[in-house]
Amino acid sequence: MRRMKVPVVLILVLFTTLFIFACTPKKNTNNYHTNILSELNNCIVEKVIENYEDGTVSATEIAIDQIYYGSFSQDGVAEILVTCKILNSPHVAGLDKTVGLLLTANTLETIAYKEFAFDKVVINCMESGNGKSRILVLGTVTSQGISIQCIQLCEIQDNQWVEYSIDALKTIPIDSRNSLGSEYFCFSTDDCLIISYEDELTNPAEIIAILIWDPDTSQFVLNP
C-alpha cells in the first residue's frame, strides 16, 4: 500500500465521506459534515490526552499537524499516522514538542504512541519495499545559540517505535569548520536527506552530501 501525505482537513473529509453517504437524511448536510469532522478531531485529541507521558495536557494545547495514510506496522494494513503539536510547551519540554500517534484507519484504535521533545521537529514517512513505511524524525534543540540535532529512523513493531541507525551518515566526513555539538545537520525532502554543517541551510554551497532513500533496503544511501 502506497503511503500518502495528505492535508489534515482533506483526509478527515475522506474518512467522513463514507459516513455521509450512508446517512439517509440529506438535509443540513453541511452541519452534519462539520459535526463529524469535529468528532474525529476530538477523538484524536482524546487519545493524545489519554497517552500523554509528560504530565498533563489540555485539549486546547493539542493541534493536529499532519496525517499520513499507509501501512506502518503491518504490510497491507490500512493505518494512519497522526502528528500533533503540543502548544505553549516550555523550553525544557521542547518548544516544538510533537506527538506521533499511529491508528487503525477503519476504527481509529491506537496502535503506537510516542513523544518527541525538541525545539524543532520534522517528521516524514519513507515508503519501503516490504510494504511498511518507516518514519524519519529530525529533532533540533537550541541552547545559548548552539544547536544540536537528533536523527531517528523508526519503524513500528509490536506496538512500539523501534529506531534504526542510518549507516550512510557514518560515511559523512567530519570537517574542522564544524565547531557545533553535532557533526552535521539533516534537512528532509520526500525521498532524500540533505546534509550540511550549518543548522540553517541558506546556500547550495553549504551542502556537503545528499542521501537518497532506497525503498528496497529501507535505508538512505549516499548519492554518488
Side-chain angles (χ1 to χ4, degrees), residues 23 29 117 119 179 193 219 222:
C23 292
T29 301
D119 295 332
S179 59
L193 275 178
Q219 270 288 354
L222 187 63

PDB file of all heavy atoms in Angstrom, residues 23 29 117 119 179 193 219 222:
ATOM      1  N   CYS A  23     -25.728   7.961   5.411  1.00  0.00           N
ATOM      2  CA  CYS A  23     -26.821   8.578   6.165  1.00  0.00           C
ATOM      3  C   CYS A  23     -27.986   8.888   5.232  1.00  0.00           C
ATOM      4  O   CYS A  23     -27.803   9.495   4.178  1.00  0.00           O
ATOM      5  CB  CYS A  23     -26.347   9.861   6.834  1.00  0.00           C
ATOM      6  SG  CYS A  23     -25.144   9.535   8.137  1.00  0.00           S
ATOM      7  N   THR A  29     -26.735  18.869   5.351  1.00  0.00           N
ATOM      8  CA  THR A  29     -25.535  18.061   5.130  1.00  0.00           C
ATOM      9  C   THR A  29     -24.280  18.777   5.609  1.00  0.00           C
ATOM     10  O   THR A  29     -23.383  18.168   6.184  1.00  0.00           O
ATOM     11  CB  THR A  29     -25.388  17.714   3.635  1.00  0.00           C
ATOM     12  OG1 THR A  29     -26.547  16.999   3.226  1.00  0.00           O
ATOM     13  CG2 THR A  29     -24.160  16.847   3.397  1.00  0.00           C
ATOM     14  N   ALA A 117      10.424  15.526  22.185  1.00  0.00           N
ATOM     15  CA  ALA A 117      10.598  16.793  22.894  1.00  0.00           C
ATOM     16  C   ALA A 117      11.817  17.528  22.350  1.00  0.00           C
ATOM     17  O   ALA A 117      12.936  17.369  22.855  1.00  0.00           O
ATOM     18  CB  ALA A 117      10.728  16.547  24.396  1.00  0.00           C
ATOM     19  N   ASP A 119      13.076  21.447  20.158  1.00  0.00           N
ATOM     20  CA  ASP A 119      12.683  22.815  19.833  1.00  0.00           C
ATOM     21  C   ASP A 119      12.184  22.939  18.394  1.00  0.00           C
ATOM     22  O   ASP A 119      11.478  23.886  18.060  1.00  0.00           O
ATOM     23  CB  ASP A 119      13.857  23.771  20.042  1.00  0.00           C
ATOM     24  CG  ASP A 119      14.264  23.848  21.505  1.00  0.00           C
ATOM     25  OD1 ASP A 119      13.399  23.637  22.379  1.00  0.00           O
ATOM     26  OD2 ASP A 119      15.457  24.100  21.782  1.00  0.00           O
ATOM     27  N   SER A 179      32.185  23.440  14.555  1.00  0.00           N
ATOM     28  CA  SER A 179      32.502  23.599  15.973  1.00  0.00           C
ATOM     29  C   SER A 179      31.277  23.383  16.850  1.00  0.00           C
ATOM     30  O   SER A 179      31.325  23.608  18.047  1.00  0.00           O
ATOM     31  CB  SER A 179      33.049  25.008  16.224  1.00  0.00           C
ATOM     32  OG  SER A 179      32.091  25.979  15.842  1.00  0.00           O
ATOM     33  N   LEU A 193      17.855  12.982   2.138  1.00  0.00           N
ATOM     34  CA  LEU A 193      18.358  13.787   3.246  1.00  0.00           C
ATOM     35  C   LEU A 193      19.470  14.677   2.704  1.00  0.00           C
ATOM     36  O   LEU A 193      20.413  14.193   2.082  1.00  0.00           O
ATOM     37  CB  LEU A 193      18.922  12.889   4.350  1.00  0.00           C
ATOM     38  CG  LEU A 193      17.968  12.327   5.399  1.00  0.00           C
ATOM     39  CD1 LEU A 193      18.740  11.435   6.368  1.00  0.00           C
ATOM     40  CD2 LEU A 193      17.262  13.437   6.153  1.00  0.00           C
ATOM     41  N   GLN A 219      16.605   2.068   3.624  1.00  0.00           N
ATOM     42  CA  GLN A 219      17.700   2.861   4.181  1.00  0.00           C
ATOM     43  C   GLN A 219      18.054   4.008   3.224  1.00  0.00           C
ATOM     44  O   GLN A 219      17.678   4.007   2.057  1.00  0.00           O
ATOM     45  CB  GLN A 219      18.936   1.991   4.392  1.00  0.00           C
ATOM     46  CG  GLN A 219      19.013   1.323   5.759  1.00  0.00           C
ATOM     47  CD  GLN A 219      19.320   2.308   6.876  1.00  0.00           C
ATOM     48  OE1 GLN A 219      19.596   3.496   6.621  1.00  0.00           O
ATOM     49  NE2 GLN A 219      19.289   1.841   8.118  1.00  0.00           N
ATOM     50  N   LEU A 222      24.248   6.988   0.103  1.00  0.00           N
ATOM     51  CA  LEU A 222      24.953   8.181  -0.357  1.00  0.00           C
ATOM     52  C   LEU A 222      24.777   8.361  -1.853  1.00  0.00           C
ATOM     53  O   LEU A 222      24.980   7.426  -2.630  1.00  0.00           O
ATOM     54  CB  LEU A 222      26.434   8.063  -0.010  1.00  0.00           C
ATOM     55  CG  LEU A 222      27.301   9.301  -0.259  1.00  0.00           C
ATOM     56  CD1 LEU A 222      26.832  10.471   0.617  1.00  0.00           C
ATOM     57  CD2 LEU A 222      28.765   8.993   0.036  1.00  0.00           C
TER      58      LEU A 222
END
